[in-house]
mmCIF file of all heavy atoms in Angstrom:
data_model
loop_
_atom_site.group_PDB
_atom_site.id
_atom_site.type_symbol
_atom_site.label_atom_id
_atom_site.label_comp_id
_atom_site.label_asym_id
_atom_site.label_seq_id
_atom_site.Cartn_x
_atom_site.Cartn_y
_atom_site.Cartn_z
ATOM 1 N N ARG Z 112 -249.794 27.073 41.141
ATOM 2 C CA ARG Z 112 -251.136 27.252 40.588
ATOM 3 C C ARG Z 112 -252.217 26.764 41.546
ATOM 4 O O ARG Z 112 -253.210 27.440 41.782
ATOM 5 C CB ARG Z 112 -251.245 26.499 39.253
ATOM 6 C CG ARG Z 112 -252.655 26.462 38.657
ATOM 7 C CD ARG Z 112 -253.205 27.850 38.431
ATOM 8 N NE ARG Z 112 -254.580 27.792 37.943
ATOM 9 C CZ ARG Z 112 -255.426 28.802 37.990
ATOM 10 N NH1 ARG Z 112 -255.042 29.947 38.522
ATOM 11 N NH2 ARG Z 112 -256.643 28.697 37.508
ATOM 12 N N ALA Z 113 -252.038 25.569 42.103
ATOM 13 C CA ALA Z 113 -253.089 25.025 42.959
ATOM 14 C C ALA Z 113 -252.532 23.951 43.873
ATOM 15 O O ALA Z 113 -251.549 23.285 43.548
ATOM 16 C CB ALA Z 113 -254.229 24.448 42.117
ATOM 17 N N VAL Z 114 -253.172 23.814 45.027
ATOM 18 C CA VAL Z 114 -252.863 22.738 45.962
ATOM 19 C C VAL Z 114 -254.168 22.012 46.253
ATOM 20 O O VAL Z 114 -255.153 22.644 46.617
ATOM 21 C CB VAL Z 114 -252.263 23.288 47.270
ATOM 22 C CG1 VAL Z 114 -252.054 22.164 48.265
ATOM 23 C CG2 VAL Z 114 -250.948 23.999 46.992
ATOM 24 N N GLU Z 115 -254.189 20.695 46.064
ATOM 25 C CA GLU Z 115 -255.413 19.938 46.291
ATOM 26 C C GLU Z 115 -255.380 19.309 47.670
ATOM 27 O O GLU Z 115 -254.414 18.637 48.033
ATOM 28 C CB GLU Z 115 -255.560 18.851 45.225
ATOM 29 C CG GLU Z 115 -256.857 18.066 45.368
ATOM 30 C CD GLU Z 115 -257.055 17.096 44.213
ATOM 31 O OE1 GLU Z 115 -257.240 17.555 43.071
ATOM 32 O OE2 GLU Z 115 -257.010 15.882 44.470
ATOM 33 N N LEU Z 116 -256.436 19.550 48.425
ATOM 34 C CA LEU Z 116 -256.539 19.034 49.785
ATOM 35 C C LEU Z 116 -257.823 18.232 49.917
ATOM 36 O O LEU Z 116 -258.896 18.705 49.546
ATOM 37 C CB LEU Z 116 -256.557 20.192 50.798
ATOM 38 C CG LEU Z 116 -255.404 21.188 50.704
ATOM 39 C CD1 LEU Z 116 -255.634 22.346 51.661
ATOM 40 C CD2 LEU Z 116 -254.092 20.505 51.027
ATOM 41 N N ARG Z 117 -257.729 17.030 50.459
ATOM 42 C CA ARG Z 117 -258.917 16.186 50.608
ATOM 43 C C ARG Z 117 -259.697 16.571 51.859
ATOM 44 O O ARG Z 117 -259.119 16.800 52.910
ATOM 45 C CB ARG Z 117 -258.520 14.712 50.681
ATOM 46 C CG ARG Z 117 -257.942 14.189 49.378
ATOM 47 C CD ARG Z 117 -257.825 12.681 49.393
ATOM 48 N NE ARG Z 117 -257.284 12.192 48.147
ATOM 49 C CZ ARG Z 117 -258.012 11.995 47.050
ATOM 50 N NH1 ARG Z 117 -259.306 12.240 47.061
ATOM 51 N NH2 ARG Z 117 -257.451 11.558 45.944
ATOM 52 N N VAL Z 118 -260.998 16.603 51.718
ATOM 53 C CA VAL Z 118 -261.893 16.819 52.855
ATOM 54 C C VAL Z 118 -262.982 15.752 52.798
ATOM 55 O O VAL Z 118 -263.167 15.085 51.792
ATOM 56 C CB VAL Z 118 -262.534 18.235 52.836
ATOM 57 C CG1 VAL Z 118 -261.456 19.300 52.910
ATOM 58 C CG2 VAL Z 118 -263.400 18.432 51.611
ATOM 59 N N GLY Z 119 -263.685 15.607 53.895
ATOM 60 C CA GLY Z 119 -264.684 14.548 53.946
ATOM 61 C C GLY Z 119 -266.026 14.911 53.342
ATOM 62 O O GLY Z 119 -266.780 14.044 52.927
ATOM 63 N N ASP Z 120 -266.318 16.210 53.275
ATOM 64 C CA ASP Z 120 -267.645 16.641 52.851
ATOM 65 C C ASP Z 120 -267.543 18.070 52.330
ATOM 66 O O ASP Z 120 -267.077 18.967 53.031
ATOM 67 C CB ASP Z 120 -268.604 16.567 54.044
ATOM 68 C CG ASP Z 120 -270.031 16.927 53.685
ATOM 69 O OD1 ASP Z 120 -270.282 18.105 53.403
ATOM 70 O OD2 ASP Z 120 -270.880 16.028 53.712
ATOM 71 N N VAL Z 121 -267.987 18.293 51.085
ATOM 72 C CA VAL Z 121 -267.875 19.622 50.477
ATOM 73 C C VAL Z 121 -268.684 20.653 51.252
ATOM 74 O O VAL Z 121 -268.203 21.745 51.569
ATOM 75 C CB VAL Z 121 -268.334 19.588 49.004
ATOM 76 C CG1 VAL Z 121 -268.477 21.004 48.456
ATOM 77 C CG2 VAL Z 121 -267.347 18.811 48.162
ATOM 78 N N ALA Z 122 -269.933 20.313 51.589
ATOM 79 C CA ALA Z 122 -270.791 21.270 52.287
ATOM 80 C C ALA Z 122 -270.205 21.631 53.643
ATOM 81 O O ALA Z 122 -270.199 22.814 54.044
ATOM 82 C CB ALA Z 122 -272.203 20.699 52.446
ATOM 83 N N ALA Z 123 -269.707 20.617 54.356
ATOM 84 C CA ALA Z 123 -269.092 20.876 55.663
ATOM 85 C C ALA Z 123 -267.845 21.736 55.500
ATOM 86 O O ALA Z 123 -267.570 22.617 56.312
ATOM 87 C CB ALA Z 123 -268.746 19.556 56.357
ATOM 88 N N ALA Z 124 -267.086 21.481 54.441
ATOM 89 C CA ALA Z 124 -265.879 22.280 54.192
ATOM 90 C C ALA Z 124 -266.244 23.723 53.894
ATOM 91 O O ALA Z 124 -265.590 24.660 54.362
ATOM 92 C CB ALA Z 124 -265.078 21.676 53.041
ATOM 93 N N GLU Z 125 -267.302 23.920 53.100
ATOM 94 C CA GLU Z 125 -267.762 25.289 52.807
ATOM 95 C C GLU Z 125 -268.095 26.029 54.094
ATOM 96 O O GLU Z 125 -267.684 27.176 54.292
ATOM 97 C CB GLU Z 125 -268.987 25.255 51.891
ATOM 98 C CG GLU Z 125 -268.692 24.828 50.470
ATOM 99 C CD GLU Z 125 -269.945 24.848 49.611
ATOM 100 O OE1 GLU Z 125 -271.054 25.072 50.174
ATOM 101 O OE2 GLU Z 125 -269.837 24.639 48.398
ATOM 102 N N ARG Z 126 -268.863 25.352 54.969
ATOM 103 C CA ARG Z 126 -269.262 25.989 56.219
ATOM 104 C C ARG Z 126 -268.045 26.304 57.083
ATOM 105 O O ARG Z 126 -267.931 27.391 57.652
ATOM 106 C CB ARG Z 126 -270.238 25.086 56.992
ATOM 107 C CG ARG Z 126 -271.622 24.982 56.354
ATOM 108 C CD ARG Z 126 -272.607 24.345 57.325
ATOM 109 N NE ARG Z 126 -272.192 22.991 57.714
ATOM 110 C CZ ARG Z 126 -272.536 21.904 57.029
ATOM 111 N NH1 ARG Z 126 -273.256 22.002 55.929
ATOM 112 N NH2 ARG Z 126 -272.142 20.702 57.451
ATOM 113 N N TRP Z 127 -267.112 25.321 57.177
ATOM 114 C CA TRP Z 127 -265.954 25.515 58.058
ATOM 115 C C TRP Z 127 -265.083 26.666 57.573
ATOM 116 O O TRP Z 127 -264.697 27.519 58.358
ATOM 117 C CB TRP Z 127 -265.128 24.236 58.133
ATOM 118 C CG TRP Z 127 -264.038 24.330 59.159
ATOM 119 C CD1 TRP Z 127 -264.126 24.048 60.485
ATOM 120 C CD2 TRP Z 127 -262.697 24.773 58.944
ATOM 121 N NE1 TRP Z 127 -262.928 24.284 61.113
ATOM 122 C CE2 TRP Z 127 -262.033 24.737 60.192
ATOM 123 C CE3 TRP Z 127 -261.996 25.211 57.819
ATOM 124 C CZ2 TRP Z 127 -260.704 25.102 60.329
ATOM 125 C CZ3 TRP Z 127 -260.672 25.586 57.963
ATOM 126 C CH2 TRP Z 127 -260.037 25.524 59.220
ATOM 127 N N TYR Z 128 -264.783 26.691 56.279
ATOM 128 C CA TYR Z 128 -263.928 27.751 55.755
ATOM 129 C C TYR Z 128 -264.620 29.116 55.843
ATOM 130 O O TYR Z 128 -263.986 30.139 56.127
ATOM 131 C CB TYR Z 128 -263.501 27.448 54.322
ATOM 132 C CG TYR Z 128 -262.319 26.492 54.254
ATOM 133 C CD1 TYR Z 128 -262.504 25.126 54.116
ATOM 134 C CD2 TYR Z 128 -261.026 26.968 54.370
ATOM 135 C CE1 TYR Z 128 -261.433 24.257 54.076
ATOM 136 C CE2 TYR Z 128 -259.935 26.111 54.332
ATOM 137 C CZ TYR Z 128 -260.145 24.756 54.187
ATOM 138 O OH TYR Z 128 -259.076 23.893 54.164
ATOM 139 N N ALA Z 129 -265.927 29.120 55.635
ATOM 140 C CA ALA Z 129 -266.649 30.384 55.739
ATOM 141 C C ALA Z 129 -266.652 30.908 57.167
ATOM 142 O O ALA Z 129 -266.399 32.094 57.412
ATOM 143 C CB ALA Z 129 -268.091 30.206 55.243
ATOM 144 N N GLU Z 130 -266.920 30.015 58.124
ATOM 145 C CA GLU Z 130 -266.977 30.447 59.524
ATOM 146 C C GLU Z 130 -265.599 30.785 60.075
ATOM 147 O O GLU Z 130 -265.437 31.741 60.827
ATOM 148 C CB GLU Z 130 -267.625 29.331 60.366
ATOM 149 C CG GLU Z 130 -269.103 29.108 60.046
ATOM 150 C CD GLU Z 130 -269.655 27.874 60.742
ATOM 151 O OE1 GLU Z 130 -268.866 27.216 61.466
ATOM 152 O OE2 GLU Z 130 -270.842 27.561 60.553
ATOM 153 N N THR Z 131 -264.578 29.999 59.689
ATOM 154 C CA THR Z 131 -263.236 30.210 60.228
ATOM 155 C C THR Z 131 -262.588 31.465 59.671
ATOM 156 O O THR Z 131 -261.947 32.238 60.394
ATOM 157 C CB THR Z 131 -262.341 28.991 59.927
ATOM 158 O OG1 THR Z 131 -262.939 27.834 60.497
ATOM 159 C CG2 THR Z 131 -260.945 29.180 60.510
ATOM 160 N N LEU Z 132 -262.748 31.689 58.354
ATOM 161 C CA LEU Z 132 -262.094 32.819 57.702
ATOM 162 C C LEU Z 132 -263.012 34.026 57.551
ATOM 163 O O LEU Z 132 -262.565 35.104 57.160
ATOM 164 C CB LEU Z 132 -261.574 32.398 56.320
ATOM 165 C CG LEU Z 132 -260.557 31.254 56.321
ATOM 166 C CD1 LEU Z 132 -260.183 30.883 54.897
ATOM 167 C CD2 LEU Z 132 -259.309 31.649 57.099
ATOM 168 N N GLY Z 133 -264.305 33.848 57.858
ATOM 169 C CA GLY Z 133 -265.234 34.962 57.737
ATOM 170 C C GLY Z 133 -265.453 35.392 56.302
ATOM 171 O O GLY Z 133 -265.552 36.590 56.000
ATOM 172 N N VAL Z 134 -265.497 34.421 55.383
ATOM 173 C CA VAL Z 134 -265.644 34.728 53.961
ATOM 174 C C VAL Z 134 -266.961 34.158 53.443
ATOM 175 O O VAL Z 134 -267.618 33.354 54.100
ATOM 176 C CB VAL Z 134 -264.469 34.146 53.153
ATOM 177 C CG1 VAL Z 134 -263.164 34.823 53.544
ATOM 178 C CG2 VAL Z 134 -264.358 32.642 53.365
ATOM 179 N N SER Z 135 -267.350 34.585 52.258
ATOM 180 C CA SER Z 135 -268.601 34.117 51.654
ATOM 181 C C SER Z 135 -268.326 32.992 50.664
ATOM 182 O O SER Z 135 -267.226 32.869 50.129
ATOM 183 C CB SER Z 135 -269.297 35.264 50.923
ATOM 184 O OG SER Z 135 -268.476 35.758 49.878
ATOM 185 N N VAL Z 136 -269.347 32.161 50.456
ATOM 186 C CA VAL Z 136 -269.247 31.047 49.515
ATOM 187 C C VAL Z 136 -270.378 31.173 48.517
ATOM 188 O O VAL Z 136 -271.545 31.339 48.889
ATOM 189 C CB VAL Z 136 -269.344 29.685 50.237
ATOM 190 C CG1 VAL Z 136 -269.215 28.548 49.239
ATOM 191 C CG2 VAL Z 136 -268.302 29.573 51.323
ATOM 192 N N GLN Z 137 -270.039 31.115 47.233
ATOM 193 C CA GLN Z 137 -271.054 31.191 46.192
ATOM 194 C C GLN Z 137 -270.681 30.236 45.072
ATOM 195 O O GLN Z 137 -269.576 30.294 44.531
ATOM 196 C CB GLN Z 137 -271.176 32.617 45.630
ATOM 197 C CG GLN Z 137 -272.304 32.768 44.616
ATOM 198 C CD GLN Z 137 -272.482 34.212 44.185
ATOM 199 O OE1 GLN Z 137 -271.753 35.088 44.618
ATOM 200 N NE2 GLN Z 137 -273.468 34.454 43.328
ATOM 201 N N ASP Z 138 -271.618 29.346 44.750
ATOM 202 C CA ASP Z 138 -271.395 28.362 43.685
ATOM 203 C C ASP Z 138 -270.117 27.548 43.904
ATOM 204 O O ASP Z 138 -269.364 27.259 42.976
ATOM 205 C CB ASP Z 138 -271.339 29.054 42.311
ATOM 206 C CG ASP Z 138 -272.645 29.738 41.954
ATOM 207 O OD1 ASP Z 138 -273.710 29.223 42.355
ATOM 208 O OD2 ASP Z 138 -272.602 30.786 41.292
ATOM 209 N N GLY Z 139 -269.875 27.190 45.159
ATOM 210 C CA GLY Z 139 -268.738 26.348 45.455
ATOM 211 C C GLY Z 139 -267.394 27.045 45.470
ATOM 212 O O GLY Z 139 -266.359 26.396 45.573
ATOM 213 N N VAL Z 140 -267.385 28.380 45.380
ATOM 214 C CA VAL Z 140 -266.134 29.134 45.383
ATOM 215 C C VAL Z 140 -266.069 29.985 46.642
ATOM 216 O O VAL Z 140 -266.971 30.770 46.926
ATOM 217 C CB VAL Z 140 -266.004 30.024 44.134
ATOM 218 C CG1 VAL Z 140 -264.746 30.894 44.230
ATOM 219 C CG2 VAL Z 140 -265.949 29.167 42.880
ATOM 220 N N VAL Z 141 -264.987 29.805 47.409
ATOM 221 C CA VAL Z 141 -264.761 30.585 48.613
ATOM 222 C C VAL Z 141 -263.797 31.711 48.272
ATOM 223 O O VAL Z 141 -262.665 31.464 47.850
ATOM 224 C CB VAL Z 141 -264.162 29.715 49.738
ATOM 225 C CG1 VAL Z 141 -263.962 30.534 51.004
ATOM 226 C CG2 VAL Z 141 -265.059 28.510 50.014
ATOM 227 N N THR Z 142 -264.232 32.951 48.440
ATOM 228 C CA THR Z 142 -263.382 34.097 48.142
ATOM 229 C C THR Z 142 -262.620 34.512 49.388
ATOM 230 O O THR Z 142 -263.212 34.759 50.439
ATOM 231 C CB THR Z 142 -264.216 35.287 47.625
ATOM 232 O OG1 THR Z 142 -264.921 34.867 46.456
ATOM 233 C CG2 THR Z 142 -263.319 36.464 47.276
ATOM 234 N N LEU Z 143 -261.285 34.597 49.258
ATOM 235 C CA LEU Z 143 -260.432 34.923 50.397
ATOM 236 C C LEU Z 143 -259.818 36.309 50.277
ATOM 237 O O LEU Z 143 -258.808 36.601 50.891
ATOM 238 C CB LEU Z 143 -259.304 33.889 50.518
ATOM 239 C CG LEU Z 143 -259.731 32.429 50.656
ATOM 240 C CD1 LEU Z 143 -258.511 31.534 50.712
ATOM 241 C CD2 LEU Z 143 -260.577 32.239 51.896
ATOM 242 N N GLY Z 144 -260.397 37.157 49.482
ATOM 243 C CA GLY Z 144 -259.836 38.496 49.318
ATOM 244 C C GLY Z 144 -258.504 38.429 48.609
ATOM 245 O O GLY Z 144 -258.338 37.735 47.612
ATOM 246 N N ARG Z 145 -257.506 39.131 49.145
ATOM 247 C CA ARG Z 145 -256.193 39.163 48.499
ATOM 248 C C ARG Z 145 -255.516 37.806 48.497
ATOM 249 O O ARG Z 145 -254.583 37.565 47.740
ATOM 250 C CB ARG Z 145 -255.284 40.181 49.213
ATOM 251 C CG ARG Z 145 -255.696 41.623 48.968
ATOM 252 C CD ARG Z 145 -254.637 42.564 49.493
ATOM 253 N NE ARG Z 145 -254.380 42.342 50.914
ATOM 254 C CZ ARG Z 145 -253.164 42.344 51.457
ATOM 255 N NH1 ARG Z 145 -252.104 42.512 50.707
ATOM 256 N NH2 ARG Z 145 -253.010 42.165 52.757
ATOM 257 N N ALA Z 146 -255.958 36.896 49.364
ATOM 258 C CA ALA Z 146 -255.327 35.577 49.445
ATOM 259 C C ALA Z 146 -255.725 34.660 48.297
ATOM 260 O O ALA Z 146 -255.172 33.588 48.138
ATOM 261 C CB ALA Z 146 -255.676 34.917 50.771
ATOM 262 N N GLY Z 147 -256.723 35.072 47.464
ATOM 263 C CA GLY Z 147 -257.124 34.252 46.338
ATOM 264 C C GLY Z 147 -258.436 33.537 46.595
ATOM 265 O O GLY Z 147 -259.328 34.074 47.240
ATOM 266 N N GLN Z 148 -258.568 32.324 46.058
ATOM 267 C CA GLN Z 148 -259.823 31.596 46.159
ATOM 268 C C GLN Z 148 -259.592 30.127 46.503
ATOM 269 O O GLN Z 148 -258.564 29.553 46.195
ATOM 270 C CB GLN Z 148 -260.583 31.661 44.827
ATOM 271 C CG GLN Z 148 -261.067 33.047 44.443
ATOM 272 C CD GLN Z 148 -261.828 33.027 43.147
ATOM 273 O OE1 GLN Z 148 -261.621 32.166 42.301
ATOM 274 N NE2 GLN Z 148 -262.734 33.980 42.996
#
């Protein structure tokens, strides 16, 4: 169902995942296409 991973900063994590995976972030949710969220 879910895997919890600790990060140091939510905003920084949003930026990193968005830039690395080329995905959009809205309301704290990163959409990964077929890979889920």
Side-chain angles (χ1 to χ4, degrees):
R112 173 58 184 161
V114 175
E115 183 174 294
L116 306 174
R117 293 192 180 278
V118 299
D120 183 290
V121 169
E125 289 181 353
R126 289 193 300 272
W127 188 87
Y128 278 94
E130 293 172 0
T131 302
L132 300 177
V134 295
S135 61
V136 181
Q137 185 174 2
D138 297 327
V140 175
V141 181
T142 302
L143 303 178
R145 289 190 303 138
Q148 294 181 334

